[in-house]
Amino acid sequence: MSATLIWILVALVAIGLYLSWTAGRLDRLHVRIDAARAALDAQLLRRASVTQELATSGVLDPAASIVLYEAAHAARQAEEEQREVAESELSQALRAVFAEPPQVEGVREAPGGEAAARELAESVRRVPMARRFHNDAVGAARRLRQHRKVRWFHLAGHAPFPMAFEMDDEPPAALADRAA
């Protein structure tokens, strides 16, 4: 009888350790999601800020400046529910303005334009990477949260279900070539 009780206790301790390890793993994934989201937010803010600086610098024609400024301003001021749409519209505005390499060359030739073009190219290149890191972390957490053991034992606690950040983040071809 005592040997059976010992084996039951050993099994319960092993199950408890496994569940604790799984809960810790899930917690680390949620921390990773938070860090990746902060990095994504920083890159999106940087892209919008650089775009606004470029739009107000006077190196672009007035129509392009207005389009870029309004899209960047909308992206910076968007509420969380509308953020993906506003950021996608900024990507579309950047592609529309910088569709052709001569537009980028015109920016580069202006005083201070080389640095502005380089900074904009870097920011539009970093946004897809930051979004990919965030969405990869979200996917890993979602897969783990779908396991029965996580649901049955409520290992996720009260953490909200992680949501991916879906947006159009394709950089303009002329700037993508410039960043490489």
Side-chain angles (χ1 to χ4, degrees):
M1 181 71 171
S2 65
T4 306
L5 187 59
I6 291 173
W7 282 112
I8 290 173
L9 287 174
V10 167
L12 287 176
V13 167
I15 291 170
L17 287 172
Y18 178 71
L19 290 175
S20 175
W21 175 81
T22 303
R25 181 172 170 231
L26 190 57
D27 184 54
R28 288 188 302 274
L29 283 171
H30 283 139
V31 168
R32 192 171 118 199
I33 289 170
D34 290 343
R37 181 57 189 244
L40 175 61
D41 287 342
Q43 291 304 323
L44 292 171
L45 181 62
R46 181 174 182 240
R47 180 179 76 157
S49 297
V50 169
T51 302
Q52 276 187 322
E53 280 181 35
L54 186 62
T56 59
S57 68
V59 298
L60 295 172
D61 62 273
S65 293
I66 290 171
V67 167
L68 287 181
Y69 183 83
E70 287 180 355
H73 181 71
R76 289 183 73 173
Q77 301 298 319
E79 296 293 325
E80 193 60 35
E81 299 83 33
Q82 298 298 317
R83 184 116 189 250
E84 293 172 350
V85 172
E87 294 294 347
S88 293
E89 288 172 354
L90 177 55
S91 295
Q92 293 165 1
L94 285 167
R95 279 198 309 273
V97 171
F98 295 108
E100 301 296 325
Q103 183 72 10
V104 177
E105 293 304 317
V107 170
R108 286 182 55 222
E109 291 169 0
E114 179 66 33
R118 183 175 47 254
E119 192 172 1
L120 183 61
E122 288 174 4
S123 69
V124 298
R125 181 180 53 86
R126 289 180 180 166
V127 166
M129 288 188 299
R131 189 176 71 85
R132 192 173 315 121
F133 287 138
H134 175 266
N135 288 350
D136 287 348
V138 166
R142 281 180 163 188
R143 285 188 296 277
L144 184 59
R145 285 182 71 152
Q146 289 174 348
H147 288 198
R148 271 185 244 135
K149 65 181 175 254
V150 173
R151 291 192 318 262
W152 287 351
F153 293 102
H154 303 284
L155 298 181
H158 296 287
F161 195 74
M163 300 301 291
F165 193 86
E166 297 300 332
M167 65 172 269
D168 174 7
D169 60 5
E170 183 181 336
L175 285 176
D177 295 341
R178 183 85 184 116

